[in-house]
Amino acid sequence: MKKNIRYGAIIASTFLFLVCCKGKDKVVPNYEYELRESGVVNIPLDTTQSFYFKYIQYDNLRDRLYLFNNFTTTIYCYRYSTLRLEKKIQLENDGPNGVGPTYRMGFYINGDTIYLMNYKTSKVITYVNGEVLHQVDLMPKKFEEEGLPEATVFNPILYHDNKLEIISQSVDPREDNTRLTNLILLDPRTDSIKRAVTRPPIYNKGYWGIFNLYRVSHALNPERSHDVFCFPLLPYL
């Protein structure tokens, strides 16, 4: 059985500032972007698979595409160049090797090791060969400085400089937005946690609505090995 999965995932990361000057003139930057379809990939699915995947990871170095079906708690591993299904990883919800509720679950697969980020529990679980080795709690402890970890298709878990990079979000107001960090750096070798990347100072000067104000996006530029962040401000107060 084949179903189409259309890749129209081009993220336009844009800062949009409204600069109000003294006098008559107002300068509003004009950014125009065109979104183009990059292609269509046909992935063979069986009757147990859903066409709606809650999480996707593409590994160009290993030529792998991983799709997560939260309805069956299964990770499907494809060789991307041939789109051939190589194996299924069946996760358990409960028991000694249970990963908890998987309605919102992100992961990063590195060889035989799977790092699972459970949104419900805010824990990163190290999962190897069907067994849970240990867990790291990322629940925020300082309200003014820390948000909740989040892993989605739009903000996937990244792996850079031997560290897992996980976005942290918060929709609660802060007296000083520049104190709130937006990135969690987790070293899986030592379980050490570092929080970094605060909101820009302009966030203390206006209000852009809950969703747009707090939805920071994160990506990695592989050519320069740089992290890229987008804080989507809107051009009205």
Side-chain angles (χ1 to χ4, degrees):
M1 176 179 182
K2 290 189 176 182
K3 300 178 183 177
N4 289 342
I5 294 181
R6 186 173 297 271
Y7 287 88
I10 302 176
I11 302 176
S13 301
T14 308
F15 270 100
L16 204 53
F17 293 97
L18 176 64
V19 181
C20 298
C21 306
K22 293 181 179 180
K24 300 179 180 179
D25 297 332
K26 293 182 180 179
V27 180
V28 180
N30 181 23
Y31 299 110
E32 294 184 0
Y33 293 89
E34 181 181 354
L35 300 182
R36 297 180 180 177
E37 184 180 284
S38 58
V40 176
V41 176
N42 296 319
I43 298 179
L45 305 178
D46 60 31
T47 56
T48 65
Q49 292 170 277
S50 169
F51 64 88
Y52 179 65
F53 294 96
K54 297 290 288 187
Y55 198 83
I56 297 173
Q57 179 192 335
Y58 170 59
D59 187 342
N60 63 318
L61 296 178
R62 295 184 175 89
D63 189 33
R64 296 294 186 274
L65 176 67
Y66 304 101
L67 307 178
F68 178 58
N69 186 341
N70 67 293
F71 298 108
T72 60
T73 322
T74 308
I75 298 175
Y76 297 86
C77 307
Y78 291 87
R79 181 174 293 277
Y80 184 74
S81 58
T82 62
L83 297 178
R84 183 174 64 87
L85 179 64
E86 295 200 325
K87 65 177 178 178
K88 301 178 184 179
I89 302 173
Q90 184 65 54
L91 304 177
E92 300 178 19
N93 294 108
D94 305 307
N97 293 310
V99 297
T102 57
Y103 178 71
R104 292 184 68 179
M105 176 81 77
F107 58 81
Y108 183 86
I109 297 179
N110 188 8
D112 294 329
T113 303
I114 305 175
Y115 301 104
L116 296 153
M117 212 297 291
N118 193 313
Y119 185 83
K120 184 73 173 180
T121 62
S122 294
K123 291 182 179 180
V124 171
I125 303 166
T126 302
Y127 193 84
V128 181
N129 296 325
E131 295 184 4
V132 173
L133 298 189
H134 66 282
Q135 305 181 35
V136 180
D137 191 354
L138 299 183
M139 185 68 70
K141 298 177 177 59
K142 299 178 181 179
F143 173 78
E144 289 297 326
E145 301 175 8
E146 301 174 357
L148 288 169
E150 178 179 274
T152 66
V153 173
F154 304 104
N155 265 326
I157 299 174
L158 303 179
Y159 191 77
H160 184 211
D161 288 342
N162 296 317
K163 294 180 179 62
L164 296 171
E165 298 189 352
I166 304 171
I167 282 293
S168 62
Q169 306 272 19
S170 177
V171 296
D172 296 312
R174 298 296 195 279
E175 183 176 350
D176 182 3
N177 282 287
T178 62
R179 293 178 58 191
L180 182 68
T181 54
N182 293 272
L183 180 67
I184 300 172
L185 300 171
L186 171 61
D187 190 333
R189 300 167 299 179
T190 62
D191 290 345
S192 63
I193 300 171
K194 179 182 179 181
R195 292 180 180 258
V197 186
T198 56
R199 290 175 180 165
I202 194 172
Y203 275 91
N204 288 337
K205 299 179 181 180
Y207 182 74
W208 287 268
I210 290 178
F211 182 83
N212 293 289
L213 176 63
Y214 297 109
R215 306 308 295 183
V216 58
S217 297
H218 175 216
L220 181 67
N221 183 336
E223 296 180 357
R224 297 187 178 183
S225 191
H226 287 171
D227 289 283
V228 181
F229 297 87
C230 173
F231 297 86
L233 309 184
L234 296 182
Y236 58 83
L237 299 178

